[in-house]
Amino acid sequence: RGTGMGLSVVHGIVQGMEGAVRVDTAPGRGTTFYVFLPISEQSSEGLDKADEGIIKKGDETILFVDDEKEILSMGEMVLRRLGYRVHSFTDSRKALEFFRASPDACDMVISDMAMPNLSGEQLAECMLDVRPDIPILFCTGFTEKVSENDLAAMGVRAVLMKPLIMEEFAGKIREILDNPNIS
């Protein structure tokens, strides 16, 4: 069993592509999900070229941490498509081990907040103890747990709510990396 974020992530991705999701459900019959995506005449090469003007890309190295494999896989794919090198972990303790062994190997950390073992906040505190200048971006689906003032005081640069929209995600990463002294 997951946290229930899977459907909201799918909805965010489909909505970001200007598509729609329809759900039909009835007791005893089950549930059917219909995903509608717009048809494009462009080749995928043409889409990549069109994205360059809209979606901000980079070439830095990002440490990406999320305990849900599906979200980690999707996030890693998106980050690589945006041009970033990615080190990804589903286990926050292993991510911290990697970071402690090579604190200068990453330009930024993107982490979920709600994780077993070490929460995102605990992970951020440990990483900031090692390297106080490391930019950290949290992605979360739990609004009630987010106090942006507390996180900013701790050194976290920003919080994005799941589901992530690619343009917003890419823009926030660039904003953080291009303005290292702003928190």
Side-chain angles (χ1 to χ4, degrees):
R1 292 200 168 247
T3 61
M5 291 300 300
L7 288 176
S8 62
V9 171
V10 169
H11 183 259
I13 292 167
V14 171
Q15 204 171 30
M17 298 174 76
E18 298 179 5
V21 177
R22 189 181 94 203
V23 181
D24 288 338
T25 186
R29 275 197 19 221
T31 303
T32 303
F33 292 88
Y34 299 91
V35 177
F36 301 94
L37 299 172
I39 295 175
S40 173
E41 298 294 323
Q42 291 179 301
S43 69
S44 62
E45 183 179 311
L47 289 173
D48 288 341
K49 288 179 182 174
D51 284 349
E52 289 175 14
I54 300 169
I55 298 176
K56 298 179 180 182
K57 298 183 177 188
D59 62 359
E60 292 88 351
T61 301
I62 294 176
L63 176 60
F64 185 59
V65 187
D66 198 302
D67 61 310
E68 291 192 50
K69 289 179 185 176
E70 296 82 11
I71 292 175
L72 189 78
S73 177
M74 179 63 70
E76 187 176 0
M77 182 185 72
V78 166
L79 290 168
R80 288 188 194 286
R81 183 169 182 222
L82 291 171
Y84 298 104
R85 292 177 302 280
V86 183
H87 300 285
S88 58
F89 294 89
T90 55
D91 185 326
S92 54
R93 293 173 302 183
K94 289 184 180 178
L96 181 58
E97 283 176 33
F98 172 83
F99 185 80
R100 283 183 172 154
S102 306
D104 294 322
C106 298
D107 299 299
M108 178 180 199
V109 175
I110 300 174
S111 177
D112 186 15
M113 288 181 66
M115 295 184 290
N117 303 314
L118 284 176
S119 70
E121 294 97 326
Q122 293 167 322
L123 179 64
E125 285 176 16
C126 292
M127 289 179 167
L128 289 164
D129 283 345
V130 173
R131 188 175 149 203
D133 68 326
I134 187 72
I136 298 176
L137 168 64
F138 278 153
C139 300
T140 185
F142 300 102
T143 56
E144 68 277 357
K145 292 182 74 174
V146 178
S147 167
E148 291 192 34
N149 291 336
D150 292 343
L151 294 174
M154 188 175 85
V156 174
R157 301 282 177 88
V159 178
L160 288 179
M161 298 305 296
K162 293 177 183 175
L164 298 173
I165 305 300
M166 189 168 174
E167 291 85 358
E168 181 183 11
F169 186 47
K172 187 57 74 175
I173 292 169
R174 284 290 6 125
E175 178 184 318
I176 292 168
L177 288 171
D178 292 341
N179 302 293
N181 298 321
I182 297 174
S183 55

